[in-house]
Amino acid sequence: MKLTLATAVLAAAVAEAHYTFPSVDSSADWQYVRTTTNYQSNGPVTDVTSDQIRCYERDPGTGAPETYAVTAGKVLNYNAKASVSHPGPMAFYIAKVPEGETAATWDGSGQVWSKIYQEMPQFGASMTWSSDGAKSIPVTIPSCLSDGEYLLRVEHIALHSAGSAGGAQFYLSCAQLSVSGGSGTWSPKSKVAFPGAYSATDPGILINIYYPVPTSYTPPGPAVESC
């Protein structure tokens, strides 16, 4: 009985230290965000070669119930539940839904993702990240997007155990957006696929952030695109 109780307490503590990204702005959980595999366990993706690294979908092909209408150039808040509780960088990627598909049906496969935000650390006695402890992370939807439906992918890489390959923890999800009001001049220089964008040995994924404390950081994936 004691062993069972101790195991349950440990499992609860581990789950509480992890997190999901289930909503945008003031919406309900999983209303506009595709339900992730970790919606109950809160556990991370650790295999960057897995299809789960794309949107971490519990039921691929199902989609979220609704698609969120947003104006290009506006700030959207992507919410963490309960909070971002590990050190590491936030990033956002966006991909336009192709003709003949909808944000609710498209799987987001192929070289279609462009990075629109990348968090960098502050350096000193330790590496620190402004997202640490955050419950909501703002991102600006590019003002030059063309009208249409998109997938917005949020990603937080927890680096507390990233000193060995496979130790980095990825917390992510994809929101379904309907964007309007943009200039339509969006022309990204680089598009990547998930999986495919990352390697387990990329310097921003395989890194000991504690000793010696790094004095620089190279995030994985492409450069941030702008209008």
Side-chain angles (χ1 to χ4, degrees), residues 61-82:
T62 301
E66 299 180 56
T67 297
Y68 190 58
V70 62
T71 303
K74 299 298 184 181
V75 173
L76 178 148
N77 291 292
Y78 216 124
N79 305 315
K81 190 175 182 178

Side-chain angles (χ1 to χ4, degrees), residues 155-172:
E155 171 192 277
H156 183 254
I157 310 176
L159 298 176
H160 59 292
S161 300
S164 59
Q169 298 179 358
F170 293 78
Y171 298 90
L172 59 114

Side-chain angles (χ1 to χ4, degrees), residues 14-203:
V14 169
E16 189 169 329
H18 296 167
Y19 35 100
T20 60
F21 292 99
S23 66
V24 293
D25 288 343
S26 58
S27 65
D29 290 356
W30 316 117
Q31 181 179 3
Y32 302 109
V33 176
R34 296 178 175 185
T35 304
T36 52
T37 301
N38 69 339
Y39 82 107
Q40 289 182 319
S41 71
N42 293 350
V45 180
T46 57
D47 181 2
V48 297
T49 67
S50 165
D51 282 346
Q52 293 272 276
I53 200 68
R54 186 183 305 143
C55 288
Y56 206 2
E57 291 181 68
R58 180 189 62 175
D59 301 309
T62 301
E66 299 180 56
T67 297
Y68 190 58
V70 62
T71 303
K74 299 298 184 181
V75 173
L76 178 148
N77 291 292
Y78 216 124
N79 305 315
K81 190 175 182 178
S83 66
V84 177
S85 56
H86 293 306
M90 296 291 312
F92 285 92
Y93 290 81
I94 201 163
K96 193 173 193 304
V97 176
E99 293 288 339
E101 296 273 8
T102 69
T105 62
W106 184 47
D107 66 1
S109 61
Q111 289 187 303
V112 293
W113 295 94
S114 300
K115 186 184 286 185
I116 60 171
Y117 173 81
Q118 176 68 65
E119 180 187 13
M120 294 297 290
Q122 295 78 49
F123 300 100
S126 63
M127 291 177 75
T128 58
W129 310 82
S130 60
S131 63
D132 194 15
K135 294 185 177 182
S136 187
I137 302 91
V139 61
T140 300
I141 304 303
S143 61
C144 55
L145 292 181
S146 58
D147 292 356
E149 296 194 348
Y150 291 80
L151 295 182
L152 177 67
R153 177 182 178 273
V154 64
E155 171 192 277
H156 183 254
I157 310 176
L159 298 176
H160 59 292
S161 300
S164 59
Q169 298 179 358
F170 293 78
Y171 298 90
L172 59 114
S173 67
C174 290
Q176 299 169 184
L177 304 183
S178 176
V179 178
S180 62
S183 67
T185 59
W186 176 250
S187 182
K189 300 179 181 66
S190 178
K191 293 182 180 181
V192 297
F194 290 103
Y198 299 161
S199 165
T201 56
D202 286 344

